[in-house]
Amino acid sequence: MIQWEIPLAERMRPSSLDQYIGHLDVMGPTGSLRVLLEKGVVPSCILYGPPGVGKTALVRLMASVTDRELFEINAVSAKVSQLRDLIEKAARFKALSGRSAVAFVDEIYHFNKGQQNALLPSVEKGDVVLVGTTTENPWFEINKTLLSRLLVFSLKPLEKDDLVGIMNNALSDEEKGLGKLGMKWEDGVLEELASSASGDARQALTRLEYLVRVISASGGSLLSLDRVRKELPAAFVRHDKDGDDHYEVISAFIKSIRGSDPDAAVYWLARLLEAGEDVRFIARRMIISAAEDIGLADPMALILATSAAKASDMTGMPEARIILSEAVIYLAAAPKSNRAYDAVNQAISSIRKGDIQRVPDHLINGNPDYRYPHDDPRHWVPQSYLREPRRFYRPSEMGAEARIAQRLKRYWRRFRDGRDGEV
């Protein structure tokens, strides 16, 4: 019974390279890291990836399959004295065995600069093989001096087939897994579970163990699709508001609007909402998208996005999802132009390069030479508004901007022939 108190995900950690599933680029039969491990070589490195993709399991394999001592420490709770003790143990192991021990620092980005620098001498001399794991981008979180001495292996969320294979092993394994329960499962059940786990093996095994225990406790032995859909908690949505998932999903959201794909845009909106993202943050990004990517091709887009931001803020969730969905679909389906965005950027760039013009005399308040456009029947007069003409705005032929372009061509020669002439 004691075994059942240990979570299935912990019990099912692989004990050989052949049992390790996923990340074929580095751990497949010809993967670069696997080739080294089979030769007994362990490089000092960082394993970078989200939770549940096999980082800790891989570190422990790196030590066991190369017959090296493993000294483990968690950077979240470790003290400086514990770090020094780890380094000293590793140095003694090398002195006795002639082989470098593996110093495993979990969540290494939690170490401050001084703690990270304390590892440098031992890594440089080869007293230890440093293997750190991190869910945060190491190029931002790890000292450059330490990072320059390490390889970085990026481990992505596991594929659905990987998760299916891991769960299949757990259901069949009678020693560490669930095999003694004699469970059977319908076609598609493991795929359903894998889809709900968001590439996280720990989450997949936790969900599997929960369902198997529920079914077994009620005297059943069949994992059916109907039972899975009835009993399974809501799908696990991987989304760290301060991490890579946040930036990746919001990037996909904005790019789907820019790319005029309303289905993709609504999907990413739903992902953000289900992950508990701040509604105000989503609305702000929609306002920016309306101005940057749609612009004057549809001037109503900015008005609608701004109205949606206010309305969703007033109503809150869950009703805000309807308002945001309406606005997102409108923005994605709208004609696109970034010419207003380009115009102001070009004007700012010109000023920063020294293009500083004095205000023309006739535009200064009280100057009698100024001609008031509304005195003309056309509500326009040929008049200079810069001492030296410039061309920053180049309207597109998209949506309402095409009409703007035609109107400007009637007024200014530079909009007819592409030159910078004023009239």
Side-chain angles (χ1 to χ4, degrees):
M1 281 299 293
I2 294 176
Q3 172 181 303
W4 293 99
E5 297 299 316
I6 302 172
L8 179 62
E10 182 66 27
R11 302 200 309 269
M12 289 304 299
R13 289 192 186 278
S15 57
S16 70
L17 293 176
D18 288 336
Q19 290 179 2
Y20 191 85
I21 295 177
H23 314 301
L24 292 177
D25 53 337
V26 292
M27 287 300 293
T30 60
S32 56
L33 183 54
R34 177 164 180 162
V35 169
L36 288 178
L37 296 178
E38 288 175 339
K39 297 295 183 182
V41 178
V42 182
S44 286
C45 60
I46 297 288
L47 303 180
Y48 164 45
V53 298
K55 299 189 299 296
T56 299
L58 180 52
V59 176
R60 292 175 180 170
L61 273 181
M62 292 166 80
S64 64
V65 302
T66 59
D67 196 26
R68 296 173 187 270
E69 194 74 19
L70 177 67
F71 298 109
E72 189 170 336
I73 196 170
N74 190 300
V76 176
S77 56
K79 299 177 181 177
V80 174
S81 59
Q82 293 173 296
L83 178 60
R84 291 197 187 112
D85 186 49
L86 179 145
I87 293 171
E88 289 172 4
K89 285 181 180 178
R92 285 198 298 271
F93 176 79
K94 185 179 182 184
L96 292 172
S97 67
R99 295 169 63 77
S100 299
V102 174
F104 171 27
V105 182
D106 194 18
E107 298 299 344
I108 190 172
Y109 70 94
H110 281 287
F111 272 167
N112 60 35
K113 185 175 181 180
Q115 289 170 309
Q116 291 184 28
N117 285 341
L119 294 164
L120 277 173
S122 299
V123 174
E124 285 186 326
K125 290 187 293 183
D127 287 342
V128 300
V129 174
L130 174 63
V131 181
T133 60
T134 174
T135 56
E136 301 296 324
N137 193 323
W139 288 279
F140 296 146
E141 303 293 341
I142 307 299
N143 289 351
K144 299 298 184 287
T145 49
L146 179 59
L147 197 60
S148 69
R149 292 156 174 82
L150 306 171
L151 297 174
V152 176
F153 295 101
S154 183
L155 305 183
K156 302 296 184 184
L158 293 167
E159 300 292 336
K160 183 186 290 188
D161 287 347
D162 297 331
L163 297 179
V164 169
I166 290 169
M167 288 187 286
N168 212 321
N169 290 344
L171 286 166
S172 305
D173 192 315
E174 296 186 2
E175 181 182 351
K176 299 184 297 181
L178 305 168
K180 289 182 179 179
L181 296 176
M183 297 296 296
K184 299 185 180 347
W185 54 96
E186 293 179 351
D187 290 343
V189 163
L190 299 187
E191 287 76 8
E192 185 92 0
L193 278 165
S195 295
S196 73
S198 195
D200 185 326
R202 187 183 293 110
Q203 182 68 205
L205 289 172
T206 298
R207 287 165 172 264
L208 175 67
E209 184 174 31
Y210 165 76
L211 286 169
V212 167
R213 286 195 175 193
V214 168
I215 294 168
S216 180
S218 60
S221 61
L222 176 65
L223 269 170
S224 66
L225 274 171
D226 182 64
R227 193 72 184 266
V228 167
R229 289 166 181 167
K230 178 182 176 182
E231 304 282 358
L232 192 66
F236 173 64
V237 180
R238 186 192 298 282
H239 191 86
D240 180 353
K241 292 183 184 179
D242 297 318
D244 290 345
D245 297 316
H246 164 85
Y247 297 105
E248 289 174 2
V249 174
I250 198 66
S251 174
F253 175 58
I254 295 302
K255 287 172 181 172
S256 298
I257 293 174
R258 183 182 298 143
S260 299
D261 188 335
D263 294 314
V266 167
Y267 171 81
W268 294 118
L269 169 66
R271 278 282 296 272
L272 291 166
L273 293 174
E274 281 297 286
E277 190 63 75
D278 184 358
V279 169
R280 290 183 177 182
F281 170 76
I282 299 171
R284 283 197 300 272
R285 294 309 299 262
M286 289 166 59
I287 291 171
I288 295 167
S289 177
E292 178 181 343
D293 295 316
I294 299 169
L296 293 171
D298 184 351
M300 277 299 298
L302 182 56
I303 297 171
L304 189 140
T306 305
S307 296
K310 183 177 181 181
S312 59
D313 189 39
M314 290 177 65
T315 57
M317 287 292 286
E319 289 79 7
R321 77 192 192 285
I322 309 167
I323 298 164
L324 293 174
S325 176
E326 179 181 334
V328 163
I329 291 169
Y330 185 96
L331 298 182
K336 304 296 188 294
S337 172
N338 68 342
R339 299 302 175 86
Y341 168 81
D342 284 345
V344 70
N345 285 347
Q346 290 173 25
I348 289 171
S349 176
S350 180
I351 290 166
R352 288 177 177 174
K353 290 176 182 177
D355 184 12
I356 311 298
Q357 298 191 30
R358 288 191 300 110
V359 175
D361 292 339
H362 62 280
L363 298 184
I364 297 173
N365 284 343
N367 191 301
D369 293 332
Y370 173 64
R371 300 175 63 189
Y372 189 57
H374 296 299
D375 288 342
D376 189 282
R378 300 168 296 176
H379 295 270
W380 175 83
V381 293
Q383 181 173 233
S384 296
Y385 294 94
L386 287 170
R387 287 184 177 273
E388 297 179 17
R390 296 289 184 268
R391 179 76 185 278
F392 300 117
Y393 177 52
R394 291 172 170 79
S396 73
E397 294 299 319
M398 297 298 296
E401 200 163 32
R403 296 191 295 274
I404 294 172
Q406 291 303 315
R407 185 162 60 252
L408 291 175
K409 284 178 182 179
R410 294 199 300 269
Y411 297 155
W412 308 107
R413 183 180 300 122
R414 65 180 182 276
F415 284 93
R416 293 195 294 272
D417 57 20
R419 295 183 300 176
D420 290 338
E422 181 67 20
V423 294

